[in-house]
Amino acid sequence: MVQKNITVTVLRTDPEKSDAGTKQRYTVPFTEGMSAMDVLDYIYQHLDSSVAYYDHAGCGLGICARCTGRINGKAGLFCQTPVDGGGELVLEPTGKDRVQRDLVMKKK
């Protein structure tokens, strides 16, 4: 069986160094039913542990909404948004003005 991979682009931002973000690409093995959060977990655990995102083990149900971001240009919850195994996935913060780092937003 051939393993499907998805190409993931994550907008990385560190406001302490620069306001401009950089796009970093990763190749992640696709598993049927995986969410955008599963993709971020894979990147963090296997490819790049410097990626900052909000992973709340106590939720994962779309209740706390701390993992809100932009998934292929649309706002959504990383933990509740399934990914398509046939294309590219772009993960970004919801806005640049409140970025703490990468996909982590400051509280209002």
Side-chain angles (χ1 to χ4, degrees):
M1 182 175 185
V2 177
Q3 174 70 49
K4 280 185 176 180
N5 291 321
I6 54 176
T7 301
V8 182
T9 302
V10 177
L11 182 61
R12 309 282 312 266
T13 305
D14 186 348
E16 291 184 11
K17 294 180 181 174
S18 170
D19 287 337
T22 59
K23 294 180 179 177
Q24 187 147 4
R25 295 179 70 141
Y26 303 93
T27 300
V28 174
F30 174 74
T31 304
E32 195 68 37
M34 73 188 315
S35 67
M37 182 65 75
D38 295 329
V39 170
L40 288 168
D41 288 343
Y42 184 88
I43 291 169
Y44 182 80
Q45 293 169 6
H46 300 282
L47 303 174
D48 185 353
S49 62
S50 70
V51 170
Y53 63 105
Y54 192 81
D55 185 11
H56 183 17
C59 180
L61 302 170
I63 296 170
C64 74
R66 295 293 311 264
C67 64
T68 301
R70 296 180 66 80
I71 304 140
N72 290 337
K74 295 181 180 177
L77 300 174
F78 293 141
C79 71
Q80 296 297 302
T81 303
V83 298
D84 181 8
E88 286 201 15
L89 178 66
V90 179
L91 302 175
E92 304 168 290
T94 52
K96 291 183 177 183
D97 57 329
R98 295 189 307 117
V99 172
Q100 189 165 354
R101 199 178 114 215
D102 298 338
L103 302 173
V104 177
M105 306 293 287
K106 296 175 187 170
K107 287 184 177 181
K108 287 184 178 179

